Amino acid sequence: MPAHPSAVPPAAPVVVTAEEKLVWYVAYGSNMHAARLAWYIGGGCPPGGRRTYPGCRNPRPPRRSMPVSLPGGIYFAGESGAWTGGMAFYDPQLPGVAAARAYLVTIEQFTDIAAQEMYRPAGDHADLLPATVEAVDTAVADGRATLGPGRYETLICPGHLAGAPLLTFTAPEPSSAVRCRPPAPLYLGMIARGLHESYGWPAARIADYLAQRPGVAEGWTPDAVAALVTDALTAD
């Protein structure tokens, strides 16, 4: 005979530590491609890569991923140490909509991904967690927070999804304050593959989207972007 409900002891409360808190890491560059993000999580040097990544302390894959759209746009500037050429940055002040992909990860994993994007030494990851947790709280409340003055050290929260905050990081200055620079072919091709994987867009739509980004528009013809995208999707 089944026990009366009152005889069943109450379940112990689930305790979630700060490290286990879930957030959406929103990627808008090469990390839209899941295999590329896997190197940030598991560590190692991607084939043909120029960097070896320490990975996350928790190497568990993201619990979920889904395409998301951000108000604003993507531009390319600076010099990438991993790819050469311009790097992708998010500017919420640009007109239009930025295509992105959200990964559900722990805040500790988000911190470790951010540390690798910031080129922080592996030993700095633990010290960065309290600062990141504080910055996340500020970004959720105010929409924006600062972890430091460098590239990818400005944290932006464009909203929430399924009860967890959407978080991405970018440069502190808008595209209007910097000199845009064309990205390298391998980098742009990886972004194209990520867009196809995330959205299922055909090559023509991906090429049209990328060709209009500041930095790409100044250094690539639409035909060159279309050819690169076709080659990238064929190789994927």
Side-chain angles (χ1 to χ4, degrees):
M1 182 176 180
H4 190 276
S6 61
V8 178
V14 176
V15 178
V16 178
T17 66
E19 293 85 351
E20 295 170 325
K21 179 182 177 181
L22 296 179
V23 300
W24 293 96
Y25 160 53
V26 181
Y28 50 80
S30 59
N31 282 345
M32 282 191 290
H33 196 277
R36 177 67 185 178
L37 178 65
W39 292 101
Y40 282 83
I41 294 177
C45 181
R50 295 162 57 96
R51 288 182 63 195
T52 297
Y53 298 94
C56 295
R57 286 165 285 181
N58 177 358
R60 175 178 175 174
R63 286 153 174 78
R64 294 172 58 192
S65 74
M66 60 191 308
V68 295
S69 298
L70 306 180
I74 306 303
Y75 67 96
F76 294 84
E79 171 74 20
S80 171
W83 304 93
T84 72
M87 299 172 288
F89 296 103
Y90 168 57
D91 181 358
Q93 298 178 21
L94 282 172
V97 175
R101 185 176 187 176
Y103 297 92
L104 191 61
V105 298
T106 67
I107 197 168
E108 182 186 74
Q109 289 177 311
F110 178 81
T111 299
D112 292 346
I113 293 168
Q116 292 171 89
E117 287 281 24
M118 296 173 195
Y119 282 70
R120 298 283 184 95
D124 288 355
H125 291 209
D127 294 340
L128 189 60
L129 181 60
T132 303
V133 172
E134 182 178 353
V136 166
D137 291 341
T138 300
V140 169
D142 302 335
R144 189 181 186 96
T146 301
L147 280 166
R151 65 173 204 171
Y152 298 127
E153 293 189 345
T154 297
L155 188 62
I156 293 179
C157 176
H160 287 71
L161 179 64
L166 293 158
L167 298 165
T168 193
F169 30 77
T170 187
E173 61 276 330
S175 59
S176 59
V178 301
R179 180 180 179 181
C180 290
R181 183 177 183 187
L186 285 175
Y187 185 42
L188 197 60
M190 184 63 71
I191 296 175
R193 295 165 69 189
L195 287 166
H196 180 70
E197 185 178 271
S198 304
Y199 285 85
W201 288 354
R205 183 170 181 181
I206 294 172
D208 182 64
Y209 172 80
L210 292 176
Q212 298 180 51
R213 301 308 103 195
V216 178
E218 291 83 359
W220 291 75
T221 66
D223 287 346
V225 175
L228 178 139
V229 169
T230 299
D231 289 345
L233 299 191
T234 301
D236 204 3

